[in-house]
Amino acid sequence: MRLEAITWERLADLLADRLAGLEPADGGAWLRVAFDGAPAARPGDLAERVGEALRVRGRPSLAVGAEGFLRPASLRLEHGRRDAESYYGGWLDTGALWREVFGPLDPGGSGRVLPDLWDPATDRATRSPYVQLPPGGVLLLHGPLLLRHWFPFDLTVHVLLSPAALRRRTPEADHWTLPAFERYAAETDPATTADVLVRADDPRHPAWRC
């Protein structure tokens, strides 16, 4: 795997430039981009950087974290608080994401997106207001294990950590999630299937390929 060294700022600029020339695959009015990666890889940081680069270019965007669309604790923790199988397949409320995020961005949709639905810390609805994403806007969805679902992304970015880096940078209390990422790598192979790959073992010196 040949990767080119780059800075986060330059990477955000190049991704924003790429999005500026990209048309939605479904012929609609909005682009939908995935920033996929384990929490330790901090894909949301890159999504925010790209959002800022788009803003400078006059392009509206909305960064949405998948952690705002987790299922209630009674469902996601049904098999215990450290069940890697449930984390892999049962934590994310995919139905809510389709209904509140992707559906409004379908061709002819309203563009009225809910930025989050559920706070996993309080285990209560966030009651956040809807956000109007104007035509030409870009959805920047970030979070783990995103590419195993059939979400209609126009561009996918995977922030990769080697197994050693993932273990090192994941808090010990969350090491029970590591088998889920091993399975994800084996079954989905995001390092190969993503349109853009960013390696971030050393967060100060990322490298990428597109």
Side-chain angles (χ1 to χ4, degrees):
M1 184 187 304
R2 299 192 62 178
L3 299 172
E4 177 185 350
I6 196 169
T7 65
W8 291 111
E9 292 79 7
R10 178 62 175 156
L11 176 59
D13 283 338
L14 290 175
L15 289 174
D17 288 342
R18 180 167 176 174
L19 291 171
L22 192 63
E23 296 292 332
D26 62 3
W30 300 274
L31 286 172
R32 297 142 303 182
V33 185
F35 291 85
D36 175 64
R42 304 182 66 86
D45 289 357
L46 180 56
E48 294 289 350
R49 287 179 182 272
V50 172
E52 177 60 22
L54 288 168
R55 187 193 66 78
V56 171
R57 289 161 174 76
R59 190 80 179 266
S61 67
L62 176 64
V64 173
E67 69 273 9
F69 287 88
L70 298 184
R71 302 168 77 197
S74 61
L75 297 176
R76 71 178 188 275
L77 305 180
E78 182 180 4
H79 300 288
R81 293 183 175 276
R82 296 191 171 192
D83 186 82
E85 185 73 18
S86 294
Y87 180 77
Y88 184 76
W91 277 38
L92 187 63
D93 191 343
T94 56
L97 275 171
W98 279 106
R99 181 179 68 251
E100 303 290 359
V101 177
F102 289 105
L105 303 182
D106 282 340
S110 66
R112 191 167 172 263
V113 175
L114 190 65
D116 51 59
L117 177 65
W118 199 259
D119 184 340
T122 63
D123 200 36
R124 296 178 182 274
T126 58
R127 303 188 184 279
S128 295
Y130 284 86
V131 175
Q132 187 69 45
L133 189 61
V138 183
L139 169 70
L140 309 170
L141 180 65
H142 56 86
L145 311 173
L146 292 179
L147 305 188
R148 63 178 300 270
H149 306 287
W150 294 97
F151 293 138
F153 293 119
D154 297 295
L155 185 74
T156 55
V157 180
H158 178 63
V159 185
L160 174 68
L161 296 178
S162 68
L166 178 59
R167 175 170 289 275
R168 183 174 66 251
R169 291 173 55 186
T170 298
E172 187 172 353
D174 295 329
H175 276 190
W176 63 271
T177 64
L178 297 179
F181 293 107
E182 293 175 9
R183 179 178 174 187
Y184 184 53
E187 293 184 355
T188 304
D189 192 13
T192 298
T193 57
D195 298 311
V196 177
L197 177 65
V198 181
R199 187 151 195 165
D201 286 2
D202 182 344
R204 300 166 300 175
H205 303 291
W208 81 315
R209 68 125 177 93
C210 61

